[in-house]
Amino acid sequence: MVLPYPYPDELLLSRLIRYLRLSGEQPSSFCLRTFNSRRVSLHPFLTGGISPIASMTNEDPDTILYTQTLAPLFLFFLPKYRNKILTSLLSNKGINIFKGKPLPTFSHRGSRILKWCSICAKENIYDYGVSYWHRTHQIPGLTSCYKHNIKLSFIKLLSRKQLIDKLLPIPNDEITYSSTLDFRLSSFCYELLSNLKNKESNINLVLLYKSRLDELGFVTKNGHLRTSKMMSEFESSFKYFPDGNKAPTNEEYDHSQYIFSSFSNNCYLHPLRYLLQSNSVFQHLLLSHWLFDDAKHLLQYDFPIKNNKHVHKSKESDYKIKQHYLTLLKSGSSLSEVHRQTGKSKNYLKTLALNNGITINSKPHFINKELHHRIVKLAKLNIHRHRIAEQCGISSGAVEQIISSEKGLASWRKQCRFESRRRCHRVCIIRYRQKYPLTIRKEIKKNCYASFMWLYKHDHQWLECNLPPPTKVKKNNRSKA
């Protein structure tokens, strides 16, 4: 099978429609031969089953994916779904992209749409003898032609009828010019889609947006986003979007207006967080066009090198202040006196002294080396910290600080508690089996539920070895009348 040669910016679905029109083959037989199923629904701009099509036409599947579908835009703006998009489109399971709501369905009242420009259709018929579907026109939310500055016409696609041999754009004489903002946005989308041909993109969108916003003065010195200022300027730039002052006349304009209004209404708390959580490519295109105004500037953006001298200075000053605290503690001053001089809390100073092996002087109680060793010894015996505090006459907080200052002691006590709990649950199961030797697993789980579930989660191998063997299911062979 040989598909017609792709025209500039042609959609894969358009090539399949032209093949059916030239060959005369029925869509059902083509789907059965290519996808092994007659009931195949092909998405207009995220067409699945690329690998089966490429194997029958001896073409490169990556070339088809990156030049004849809108996959490059989704891979660029939604990197967290990259693997799912690639595997779904290359395999014969394109519908998996929309399962679990990773991507919107792009439907309008239960039907998908295809868009075209009347002047583009006339020029295609004059140049190639046939009109075809342009890939850039199908970007969700786009309402203007990137070449002629006129509104796009649209047609609804009923379910499971996307592959029709006569479904090609038809020129019409009704032409309505679009606004300058719509035309500039469509030109930006075309330029960006034309340059997204690399299989791998190392651009970090979060860092890209933050750096550009910082360059435009929307980020404070502390790294916080000036949300109100940013959103006010963003909304003023898209004040008459879409279609200028005129009311929208079809569903696509309603859809683009809805996307813009939902973006502007939900971004006042944290615009970047909302944008990265939403799966709307058109919202990314709106923000990218507002920030960069040029697709090449977006793709070739040089991240500004920040001066990190103040960071090193702050680290050096913190180290000097910490050394000053240690000097005061080593001089023999009491904890209260150091607290009054530095303004730091007593818990912080006490932890700092214990981590650096400094003996501190405290007026209420003096923890000498002997008491310290005694607390560590009792802690290694896995005695509760409240009991240790009662025996030593100090607070439980001081005991906790001494335990945390000893390397590996806290993890050792945690392991001891785990072993003690496991031993108790094991004994519970063993005693129940000794008391009821003919019991089954279901009864053990019912009467020793807490021990059974704990061992099932933390000691599954021992539980399987010490439970009675599972009983086989007995079939009830009923006599048939």
Side-chain angles (χ1 to χ4, degrees), residues 97-116:
I97 304 179
F98 308 102
K99 289 184 178 180
K101 297 183 179 180
L103 297 180
T105 56
F106 311 105
S107 61
H108 296 265
R109 299 178 184 175
S111 62
R112 299 187 179 99
I113 64 172
L114 278 172
K115 297 175 286 185
W116 78 94

Side-chain angles (χ1 to χ4, degrees), residues 152-335:
L152 296 175
S153 304
F154 77 100
I155 184 175
K156 292 182 181 180
L157 301 178
L158 302 179
S159 66
R160 299 192 179 277
K161 291 185 179 180
Q162 285 85 352
L163 196 59
I164 304 175
D165 54 353
K166 297 181 181 179
L167 187 62
L168 289 176
I170 301 175
N172 53 41
D173 297 331
E174 295 182 2
I175 295 176
T176 306
Y177 290 94
S178 59
S179 64
T180 306
L181 181 59
D182 293 343
F183 177 65
R184 289 174 56 190
L185 179 62
S186 60
S187 302
F188 174 83
C189 296
Y190 172 73
E191 187 179 3
L192 178 62
L193 187 60
S194 302
N195 288 283
L196 286 176
K197 296 181 180 179
N198 297 328
K199 298 180 181 180
E200 297 293 338
S201 178
N202 297 324
I203 298 179
N204 188 342
L205 285 178
V206 180
L207 185 60
L208 178 70
Y209 289 149
K210 284 185 177 180
S211 300
R212 182 59 177 167
L213 289 170
D214 189 12
E215 187 178 354
L216 295 175
F218 295 110
V219 180
T220 63
K221 294 182 179 180
N222 296 327
H224 300 292
L225 187 63
R226 294 188 175 98
T227 308
S228 300
K229 180 182 178 182
M230 169 195 164
M231 292 308 300
S232 62
E233 294 195 16
F234 176 79
E235 290 179 351
S236 62
S237 300
F238 291 93
K239 185 177 181 179
Y240 300 109
F241 177 82
D243 194 30
N245 294 318
K246 300 177 182 179
T249 57
N250 57 40
E251 294 180 8
E252 184 61 22
Y253 293 95
D254 291 331
H255 180 62
S256 58
Q257 180 64 44
Y258 169 74
I259 294 176
F260 172 75
S261 60
S262 64
F263 175 67
S264 59
N265 292 334
N266 292 290
C267 283
Y268 272 97
L269 293 178
H270 201 293
L272 298 184
R273 186 180 300 168
Y274 167 77
L275 193 64
L276 296 174
Q277 289 176 355
S278 71
N279 302 326
S280 176
V281 173
F282 189 62
Q283 291 179 354
H284 283 276
L285 289 171
L286 286 174
L287 183 63
S288 301
H289 172 61
W290 177 67
L291 290 177
F292 296 94
D293 197 42
D294 186 13
K296 292 183 179 179
H297 186 202
L298 168 66
L299 297 174
Q300 300 174 1
Y301 180 71
D302 293 330
F303 295 98
I305 301 174
K306 293 185 177 181
N307 190 6
N308 295 325
K309 290 183 179 180
H310 66 282
V311 178
H312 296 295
K313 288 182 179 178
S314 62
K315 290 183 178 180
E316 291 178 0
S317 61
D318 292 341
Y319 177 76
K320 291 180 179 179
I321 293 172
K322 194 174 181 180
Q323 292 298 321
H324 175 64
Y325 296 160
L326 292 175
T327 304
L328 293 175
L329 292 170
K330 289 178 182 178
S331 63
S333 302
S334 64
L335 199 62

